[in-house]
mmCIF file of all heavy atoms in Angstrom:
data_model
loop_
_atom_site.group_PDB
_atom_site.id
_atom_site.type_symbol
_atom_site.label_atom_id
_atom_site.label_comp_id
_atom_site.label_asym_id
_atom_site.label_seq_id
_atom_site.Cartn_x
_atom_site.Cartn_y
_atom_site.Cartn_z
ATOM 1 N N ASN W 158 -175.513 1.883 31.115
ATOM 2 C CA ASN W 158 -176.438 1.839 29.981
ATOM 3 C C ASN W 158 -177.244 3.131 29.896
ATOM 4 O O ASN W 158 -178.445 3.148 30.121
ATOM 5 C CB ASN W 158 -177.369 0.638 30.105
ATOM 6 C CG ASN W 158 -176.664 -0.639 29.703
ATOM 7 O OD1 ASN W 158 -175.795 -0.632 28.834
ATOM 8 N ND2 ASN W 158 -177.008 -1.731 30.360
ATOM 9 N N ARG W 159 -176.549 4.204 29.608
ATOM 10 C CA ARG W 159 -177.197 5.518 29.521
ATOM 11 C C ARG W 159 -177.358 5.865 28.049
ATOM 12 O O ARG W 159 -176.414 5.725 27.269
ATOM 13 C CB ARG W 159 -176.268 6.542 30.193
ATOM 14 C CG ARG W 159 -176.802 7.955 30.354
ATOM 15 C CD ARG W 159 -175.659 8.846 30.871
ATOM 16 N NE ARG W 159 -176.054 10.173 31.267
ATOM 17 C CZ ARG W 159 -176.364 10.522 32.506
ATOM 18 N NH1 ARG W 159 -176.345 9.632 33.474
ATOM 19 N NH2 ARG W 159 -176.682 11.764 32.799
ATOM 20 N N ARG W 160 -178.549 6.303 27.678
ATOM 21 C CA ARG W 160 -178.785 6.671 26.283
ATOM 22 C C ARG W 160 -178.899 8.185 26.153
ATOM 23 O O ARG W 160 -179.510 8.826 27.018
ATOM 24 C CB ARG W 160 -180.095 6.060 25.767
ATOM 25 C CG ARG W 160 -179.981 4.606 25.489
ATOM 26 C CD ARG W 160 -181.330 4.004 25.077
ATOM 27 N NE ARG W 160 -181.304 2.571 25.318
ATOM 28 C CZ ARG W 160 -180.781 1.688 24.479
ATOM 29 N NH1 ARG W 160 -180.299 2.078 23.319
ATOM 30 N NH2 ARG W 160 -180.762 0.412 24.786
ATOM 31 N N ARG W 161 -178.366 8.720 25.084
ATOM 32 C CA ARG W 161 -178.503 10.143 24.813
ATOM 33 C C ARG W 161 -178.721 10.342 23.320
ATOM 34 O O ARG W 161 -178.142 9.614 22.498
ATOM 35 C CB ARG W 161 -177.235 10.916 25.227
ATOM 36 C CG ARG W 161 -177.152 11.155 26.732
ATOM 37 C CD ARG W 161 -178.259 12.098 27.181
ATOM 38 N NE ARG W 161 -178.283 12.377 28.593
ATOM 39 C CZ ARG W 161 -178.969 11.698 29.509
ATOM 40 N NH1 ARG W 161 -179.655 10.629 29.167
ATOM 41 N NH2 ARG W 161 -178.972 12.077 30.755
ATOM 42 N N VAL W 162 -179.563 11.335 22.969
ATOM 43 C CA VAL W 162 -179.702 11.649 21.553
ATOM 44 C C VAL W 162 -178.655 12.719 21.224
ATOM 45 O O VAL W 162 -178.434 13.657 22.002
ATOM 46 C CB VAL W 162 -181.138 12.118 21.194
ATOM 47 C CG1 VAL W 162 -181.524 13.410 21.899
ATOM 48 C CG2 VAL W 162 -181.279 12.296 19.683
ATOM 49 N N ILE W 163 -177.982 12.509 20.104
ATOM 50 C CA ILE W 163 -176.931 13.437 19.687
ATOM 51 C C ILE W 163 -177.305 14.003 18.317
ATOM 52 O O ILE W 163 -177.318 13.281 17.314
ATOM 53 C CB ILE W 163 -175.560 12.711 19.573
ATOM 54 C CG1 ILE W 163 -175.207 11.967 20.875
ATOM 55 C CG2 ILE W 163 -174.454 13.687 19.162
ATOM 56 C CD1 ILE W 163 -174.794 12.807 22.042
ATOM 57 N N PHE W 164 -177.620 15.295 18.280
ATOM 58 C CA PHE W 164 -177.831 15.996 17.009
ATOM 59 C C PHE W 164 -176.483 16.556 16.572
ATOM 60 O O PHE W 164 -175.761 17.137 17.390
ATOM 61 C CB PHE W 164 -178.798 17.172 17.180
ATOM 62 C CG PHE W 164 -180.228 16.776 17.392
ATOM 63 C CD1 PHE W 164 -180.696 16.453 18.660
ATOM 64 C CD2 PHE W 164 -181.112 16.730 16.319
ATOM 65 C CE1 PHE W 164 -182.015 16.089 18.869
ATOM 66 C CE2 PHE W 164 -182.446 16.366 16.512
ATOM 67 C CZ PHE W 164 -182.892 16.039 17.788
ATOM 68 N N VAL W 165 -176.178 16.376 15.288
ATOM 69 C CA VAL W 165 -174.944 16.935 14.746
ATOM 70 C C VAL W 165 -175.317 17.835 13.580
ATOM 71 O O VAL W 165 -176.063 17.426 12.687
ATOM 72 C CB VAL W 165 -173.998 15.821 14.228
ATOM 73 C CG1 VAL W 165 -172.718 16.419 13.653
ATOM 74 C CG2 VAL W 165 -173.660 14.847 15.355
ATOM 75 N N GLY W 166 -174.823 19.058 13.608
ATOM 76 C CA GLY W 166 -175.051 19.985 12.486
ATOM 77 C C GLY W 166 -173.709 20.362 11.888
ATOM 78 O O GLY W 166 -172.749 20.607 12.618
ATOM 79 N N SER W 167 -173.662 20.400 10.547
ATOM 80 C CA SER W 167 -172.400 20.750 9.878
ATOM 81 C C SER W 167 -172.693 21.715 8.734
ATOM 82 O O SER W 167 -173.659 21.513 7.991
ATOM 83 C CB SER W 167 -171.749 19.482 9.326
ATOM 84 O OG SER W 167 -170.780 19.808 8.348
ATOM 85 N N ILE W 168 -171.857 22.725 8.565
ATOM 86 C CA ILE W 168 -172.072 23.629 7.428
ATOM 87 C C ILE W 168 -171.615 22.984 6.129
ATOM 88 O O ILE W 168 -171.943 23.460 5.047
ATOM 89 C CB ILE W 168 -171.316 24.985 7.567
ATOM 90 C CG1 ILE W 168 -169.867 24.744 7.930
ATOM 91 C CG2 ILE W 168 -172.012 25.923 8.524
ATOM 92 C CD1 ILE W 168 -168.980 25.953 7.645
ATOM 93 N N TYR W 169 -170.857 21.882 6.211
ATOM 94 C CA TYR W 169 -170.277 21.302 4.996
ATOM 95 C C TYR W 169 -171.230 20.370 4.257
ATOM 96 O O TYR W 169 -171.526 20.573 3.087
ATOM 97 C CB TYR W 169 -168.993 20.548 5.345
ATOM 98 C CG TYR W 169 -167.951 21.448 5.964
ATOM 99 C CD1 TYR W 169 -167.526 21.261 7.276
ATOM 100 C CD2 TYR W 169 -167.396 22.502 5.241
ATOM 101 C CE1 TYR W 169 -166.577 22.088 7.841
ATOM 102 C CE2 TYR W 169 -166.459 23.344 5.799
ATOM 103 C CZ TYR W 169 -166.050 23.132 7.100
ATOM 104 O OH TYR W 169 -165.128 23.962 7.662
ATOM 105 N N ASN W 170 -171.658 19.330 4.927
ATOM 106 C CA ASN W 170 -172.474 18.294 4.278
ATOM 107 C C ASN W 170 -173.025 17.381 5.371
ATOM 108 O O ASN W 170 -172.825 17.652 6.549
ATOM 109 C CB ASN W 170 -171.613 17.463 3.302
ATOM 110 C CG ASN W 170 -170.340 16.984 3.980
ATOM 111 O OD1 ASN W 170 -170.395 16.412 5.061
ATOM 112 N ND2 ASN W 170 -169.201 17.236 3.368
#
Side-chain angles (χ1 to χ4, degrees):
N158 282 328
R159 186 187 189 94
R160 285 176 202 277
R161 282 293 179 269
V162 63
I163 306 287
F164 288 84
V165 179
S167 162
I168 49 161
Y169 300 116
N170 50 51

